[in-house]
Amino acid sequence: MFGLTTDPVRRIRNPLAHLTNEQVIKDVEDFSRSSGLEEYTPMLVKGALIAKDPPAFETVPGLSEDEMEAIRNEVLHKWRQPRSLYFTIILCSIGAAVQGWDQTGSNGANLSFPDALGIPITNTLADGSPNPNASRNQWYQGLVNAGPYIASALLGCWCSDPLNKYFGRRGTIFASAVFCFLSPIGSACAQTWEQLLVTRLLLGIGMGCKGSTVPIFSAENAPASIRGGLVMCWQMWTAFGIFLGTCANLAVKDTGAISWRLQFGSAFIPAVPLLVGIYFCPESPRWYIKKGRYSKAFRSLRRLRNTELQAARDLYYIFAQLRMEAALVQKNTNYATRFIQLFTIPRVRRATLASFTVMIAQQMCGINIIAFYSSTVFEQAGASITNSLLASWGFGLVNFVFAWPAIWTIDTFGRRSLLLFTFPNMAWTLLAAGLCYLIPSSSSAHLGLVALFIYLFAAFYSPGEGPVPFTYSAEVFPLSHREVGMSWAVATCLFWAAVLSITFPRMLAAMTPTGAFGFYAGLNLCAFVMIFLWLPETKQRTLEELDYIFAIPTRTFMKHQVGTVLPWWIKTYIFRRKIGPCPALWSFDGHVDNDKDFVETVRRQSLAVAGGRRRSSIADKIANRF
């Protein structure tokens, strides 16, 4: 089933590869008649024949030179994509800036809103008398900060499945943008901490729907070869939102009693372009295919691909893959049944485990103890309010700048490799930051070293655990369970973000910064082991091809990691032995993005077209990757 053989290396085959050209043509003709695309039958036939045997694309009859050049450019110039694709991905990812901006808005507001709303959290009051309610108020502060994440985990994420079912990806994103636009304004107008909590709970509904839908929407629209780089725009804009939030905190710090209101309220700004622009984007073609609306799916793909031929090829290839997927998972089930199937269908259960691992790891790494409370952390290191906000601004800048490399590395080194590299480095930098609190506060090195190691921590986080979780979780579920699966993944992430937000003020008081940072440094190492054992690589595979990867039992994958990958790594990088590449657990046969023969064909064709000069160096680099 699913093209998986019984060989030690699981060979995953193109679902069209075993068919003759005559069988493919007949199948395409039947498909075009049943889907109302008869006028595009010749184009669909050409696209299907290319998908059947990518290395032999030049032998497909009827291809023009422009069409062959477009196929070559999928390897030679993979970032040469239509403006409509980039507009869609970037616009929708702007919504992530709401989440980042809100994190740093509440971060700066933590220095003043508790006193303004009558819940002082310091151990002594302004008149010097002991504060008998300090411990209780610390929990209240944590609850207010955690409000959006509580609502997201318990309600917002789970609303995305029915909203996607009835209104599509764009309709769901629009509804979430309404909440993200109005709720921060309500936070700025709150008169009590209870009112502030309610407005932040409403913000969480929008954040949950948006966080569960936008990465799916981006992943379904993007070509496989650059999907990671495009879907990680979500994290880029989250990081940019964090940076803009720290800028806003500094801009309004001297506005007196209303500074915290402006810090909370300014988070509405990124929702404005999302509200205005979402319906200028094409709907997800895979959502249309799921609904049986093939003509609309083809119309969307024509806007998202460079040529009509590529749109026809992708439409039929997705259809063929989903036809095989139907043998693995049940469709047309209700919401409750689909949720239960996250844990009962083996292929879906493995995706559920992988998404749970990568999402909870984002909270275990400790990034949000900085994102939510960096101003408080720096204040405890002896900084003034202004210097705390400046240091937090530095954290936001580092987080944003170091997210950029992942655009290129996430689809070359891969999701898994980035995580395995960054987690050990996050562990030691976080531990070092905590130990720096043991330096006497009178020393000039105290604050500087704390800031240095927190910035190094952010620099390792941003290209690894920053972009990977939402990108990875949006990819791993089959189309039939993608919405509820992503809801599960985002709810996992935001629930534990809420737990972190609620507990950290009290943890900071009870364990001191050194103990709290050391605790999260240890969790980084736990997350490293979980990722090593449970996370398959997904780079440069179509969403449907991932069905084959997750058809491999978890026990088999773990056995391969411990028995093959770990010994190979030790021999190669510790004992420095040249033993060749690591044996793979699976291989793909006959896909357009990574097939070696296809790459060689492109190389030869590009040399011929360019007279053997202009593109030889680019083609050689591509060929050497394989």
Side-chain angles (χ1 to χ4, degrees), residues 128-156:
S129 61
N131 180 8
N133 298 318
S135 177
R136 183 196 66 183
N137 291 348
Q138 288 162 0
W139 288 107
Y140 287 162
Q141 179 198 21
L143 183 63
V144 169
N145 285 322
Y149 308 98
I150 295 172
S152 293
L154 299 182
L155 183 60

Side-chain angles (χ1 to χ4, degrees), residues 304-506:
L304 296 168
R305 299 295 182 265
N306 284 312
T307 65
E308 191 173 81
L309 173 65
Q310 291 166 302
R313 179 201 63 194
D314 289 356
L315 176 69
Y316 185 74
Y317 190 72
I318 293 169
F319 166 76
Q321 292 277 14
L322 290 177
R323 186 167 54 186
M324 294 189 70
E325 179 186 289
L328 184 65
V329 294
Q330 301 174 20
K331 298 187 177 183
N332 300 320
T333 54
N334 60 45
Y335 189 8
T337 302
R338 287 199 304 278
F339 177 77
I340 294 171
Q341 288 173 347
L342 292 180
F343 309 96
T344 57
I345 296 177
R347 180 265 180 264
V348 184
R349 184 174 64 241
R350 294 173 195 121
T352 302
L353 174 63
S355 64
F356 170 83
T357 300
V358 75
M359 282 298 197
I360 197 172
Q362 191 173 69
Q363 304 309 319
M364 293 171 71
C365 78
I367 185 63
N368 282 331
I369 66 176
I370 311 299
F372 295 166
Y373 293 106
S374 63
S375 297
T376 304
V377 166
F378 288 124
E379 187 181 43
Q380 292 218 355
S384 64
I385 289 180
T386 298
N387 287 339
S388 295
L389 293 174
L390 280 170
S392 296
W393 177 85
F395 164 77
L397 179 62
V398 170
N399 188 40
F400 174 59
V401 169
F402 280 86
W404 281 93
I407 293 178
W408 296 275
T409 58
I410 196 169
D411 284 314
T412 53
F413 293 106
R415 288 74 157 142
R416 175 184 168 84
S417 298
L418 288 178
L419 295 179
L420 293 178
F421 170 75
T422 56
F423 267 95
N425 287 294
M426 287 192 291
W428 75 260
T429 51
L430 198 60
L431 179 61
L435 292 175
C436 287
Y437 278 89
L438 300 178
I439 299 173
S441 57
S442 58
S443 171
S444 59
H446 178 79
L447 178 60
L449 286 174
V450 169
L452 171 64
F453 285 113
I454 286 177
Y455 293 168
L456 286 174
F457 170 79
F460 283 118
Y461 166 85
S462 294
E465 182 61 11
V468 170
F470 281 85
T471 301
Y472 190 89
S473 299
E475 298 171 332
V476 297
F477 292 97
L479 182 61
S480 57
H481 291 70
R482 192 162 292 151
E483 295 92 344
V484 69
M486 190 62 179
S487 297
W488 154 263
V490 177
T492 298
C493 179
L494 298 183
F495 172 79
W496 289 104
V499 170
L500 183 151
S501 184
I502 292 173
T503 58
F504 191 68
R506 188 64 195 142

Side-chain angles (χ1 to χ4, degrees), residues 32-46:
S32 62
R33 280 195 298 269
S34 63
S35 59
L37 294 170
E38 293 95 331
E39 61 181 302
Y40 299 105
T41 299
M43 188 66 67
L44 287 167
V45 167
K46 289 193 293 185

Side-chain angles (χ1 to χ4, degrees), residues 67-349:
E67 290 172 333
M68 286 193 285
E69 182 71 8
I71 300 299
R72 296 185 195 112
N73 284 340
E74 291 182 327
V75 173
L76 295 174
H77 303 286
K78 64 181 182 179
W79 289 97
R80 190 177 292 174
Q81 301 292 338
R83 292 181 180 178
S84 181
L85 175 65
Y86 287 120
F87 174 79
T88 299
I89 302 294
I90 293 172
L91 176 75
C92 293
S93 298
I94 287 174
V98 174
Q99 180 173 330
W101 198 318
D102 176 74
Q103 287 179 6
T104 44
S106 60
N107 187 329
N110 279 324
L111 300 177
S112 55
F113 92 81
D115 289 329
L117 296 182
I119 51 169
I121 61 172
T122 56
N123 292 323
T124 57
L125 299 175
D127 59 5
S129 61
N131 180 8
N133 298 318
S135 177
R136 183 196 66 183
N137 291 348
Q138 288 162 0
W139 288 107
Y140 287 162
Q141 179 198 21
L143 183 63
V144 169
N145 285 322
Y149 308 98
I150 295 172
S152 293
L154 299 182
L155 183 60
C157 292
W158 305 107
C159 289
S160 68
D161 184 277
L163 287 174
N164 272 280
K165 180 179 180 180
Y166 294 109
F167 302 109
R169 312 290 190 236
R170 294 184 305 175
T172 303
I173 294 170
F174 178 83
S176 69
V178 172
F179 280 90
C180 293
F181 174 77
L182 296 176
S183 300
I185 297 174
S187 297
C189 300
Q191 301 300 311
T192 65
W193 74 265
E194 292 91 348
Q195 292 177 3
L196 180 61
L197 175 61
V198 169
T199 61
R200 290 179 63 72
L201 290 171
L202 292 173
L203 174 62
I205 295 175
M207 283 173 48
C209 290
K210 174 170 55 64
S212 300
T213 303
V214 170
I216 290 176
F217 187 50
S218 300
E220 291 181 340
N221 287 341
S225 59
I226 58 171
R227 187 177 63 241
L230 291 180
V231 178
M232 72 145 291
C233 283
W234 173 266
Q235 174 60 24
M236 283 290 301
W237 280 97
T238 300
F240 190 53
I242 290 173
F243 174 66
L244 290 179
T246 59
C247 293
N249 289 345
L250 282 169
V252 304
K253 70 180 180 64
D254 295 324
T255 55
I258 65 168
S259 62
W260 67 270
R261 297 185 182 277
L262 297 176
Q263 288 164 341
F264 275 126
S266 60
F268 84 91
I269 295 173
V272 176
L274 192 61
L275 272 171
V276 174
I278 185 59
Y279 281 102
F280 292 98
C281 302
E283 180 58 274
S284 162
R286 284 177 169 86
W287 185 82
Y288 279 136
I289 291 173
K290 183 178 181 179
K291 297 294 182 179
R293 304 174 188 175
Y294 293 101
S295 59
K296 291 186 176 181
F298 187 47
R299 193 180 309 154
S300 286
L301 279 168
R302 288 165 66 185
R303 293 181 61 187
L304 296 168
R305 299 295 182 265
N306 284 312
T307 65
E308 191 173 81
L309 173 65
Q310 291 166 302
R313 179 201 63 194
D314 289 356
L315 176 69
Y316 185 74
Y317 190 72
I318 293 169
F319 166 76
Q321 292 277 14
L322 290 177
R323 186 167 54 186
M324 294 189 70
E325 179 186 289
L328 184 65
V329 294
Q330 301 174 20
K331 298 187 177 183
N332 300 320
T333 54
N334 60 45
Y335 189 8
T337 302
R338 287 199 304 278
F339 177 77
I340 294 171
Q341 288 173 347
L342 292 180
F343 309 96
T344 57
I345 296 177
R347 180 265 180 264
V348 184
R349 184 174 64 241

